[in-house]
Amino acid sequence: MMPPLGPGKLWWRDDDAVADTPALRRLLALASQHQVPLTLAVVPGKLQPCLPSLIKAHPHVEVVLHGWRHENHALSGKSEYPAERPATDVAREMRDGLECLQEAFGSQCLPVLTPPWNKIANEHLQTVFDSGVRAISTIGHHDGPHFYPVQLDLLQWRPPPPRFKGLEICQKALSTFINNHSYTGVLS
């Protein structure tokens, strides 16, 4: 279940999971220690056999769809689901991705899409929902009951490589969001 929306609620989303790694194990330990709901956005087309058993050992973790292979198909910018992609391709990837994650993670898998690079063309939203996805999570605000945005990304992406924004900056932003939003989603 995605986080209940309400004042002071905090939930944590981590993207790009495909394998059991030391970094993922640290993340799982932190989420468990601090009892923060954790949602892992998993790339089904790159899923390694070692990940499901690790996640099943952490029943408080939920898994959502992170595209199909996290591949850029945009003519400009980055998006796995730009307007120029055929709707039939998008529908197939949604169905195949959900099926893959449901088989691998069982009840821990939620029918939620976190599009790679947090971008999906509006033209594909109905196709995505018609393919079995029930909600979408991106960075920023979207109106409607089917969107679960994250407000705070803990990483500075440019210039490469990605790095932590810093404790003071994140604490200040987190405090602002918690005090001014119905809930706060954090991305790592």
Side-chain angles (χ1 to χ4, degrees), residues 2 14 28 37 54 69 71 82 84 92-93 113 117 124-125 132 138 150 160 165-166:
M2 288 298 282
D14 190 72
L28 293 168
L54 173 65
R69 294 194 48 83
E71 293 176 344
E84 58 266 20
R92 184 188 68 255
E93 290 182 4
L113 170 66
W117 299 286
H124 292 310
L125 293 179
T138 60
V150 292
K165 287 181 178 175

Side-chain angles (χ1 to χ4, degrees), residues 22-40:
L24 179 57
R25 285 182 176 267
R26 285 191 305 274
L27 178 72
L28 293 168
L30 278 170
S32 181
Q33 177 185 350
H34 296 285
Q35 299 179 345
V36 176
L38 178 61
T39 302
L40 286 181

